[in-house]
Amino acid sequence: TMVTGEAFIEENEKKKMIEKYEALSVDMETASIAHVCYVNEIPFLAVRAITDCADEEAKDNFEENCKKASKKSAEFVRLLLKEWKE
């Protein structure tokens, strides 16, 4: 489960949201895209990959994690499209 909002979420609010919704992550981009799709009656699916824990070590491992996350996301989308095609 991911919690999303339309603005940057402060750390204390992030913790409350994670506890309340039992979320594994928080983002701020997905909500805006989902809302535009909803208003325009366009089907929407978000595929997100977590690249870091947003802590002080995030900058140290971001590039490596970004490559791994991109590969996993692409593999998932390929499998999803294959299932839809069949």
Side-chain angles (χ1 to χ4, degrees):
T1 301
M2 179 189 324
V3 179
T4 184
E6 71 275 355
F8 182 76
I9 302 166
E10 297 293 331
E11 196 61 35
N12 60 339
E13 283 299 310
K14 188 184 300 183
K15 288 178 183 177
K16 289 178 190 175
M17 292 172 73
I18 287 172
E19 288 178 20
K20 181 176 181 178
Y21 298 105
E22 299 180 9
L24 298 174
S25 64
V26 177
D27 89 330
M28 62 182 201
E29 299 87 9
T30 308
S32 60
I33 299 166
H35 181 72
V36 169
C37 290
Y38 175 77
V39 167
N40 291 287
E41 298 180 356
I42 299 170
F44 173 78
L45 171 70
V47 175
R48 302 296 307 242
I50 298 171
T51 56
D52 61 70
C53 296
D55 58 13
E56 58 278 348
E57 294 179 20
K59 65 181 184 291
D60 297 335
N61 55 16
F62 176 77
E63 291 298 324
E64 179 183 338
N65 289 345
C66 192
K67 289 176 187 175
K68 290 178 186 177
S70 297
K71 183 177 179 182
K72 288 180 185 256
S73 294
E75 289 171 0
F76 176 78
V77 170
R78 283 188 195 104
L79 288 171
L80 185 62
L81 291 173
K82 183 179 176 184
E83 287 295 317
W84 278 348
K85 185 178 176 182
E86 295 175 357

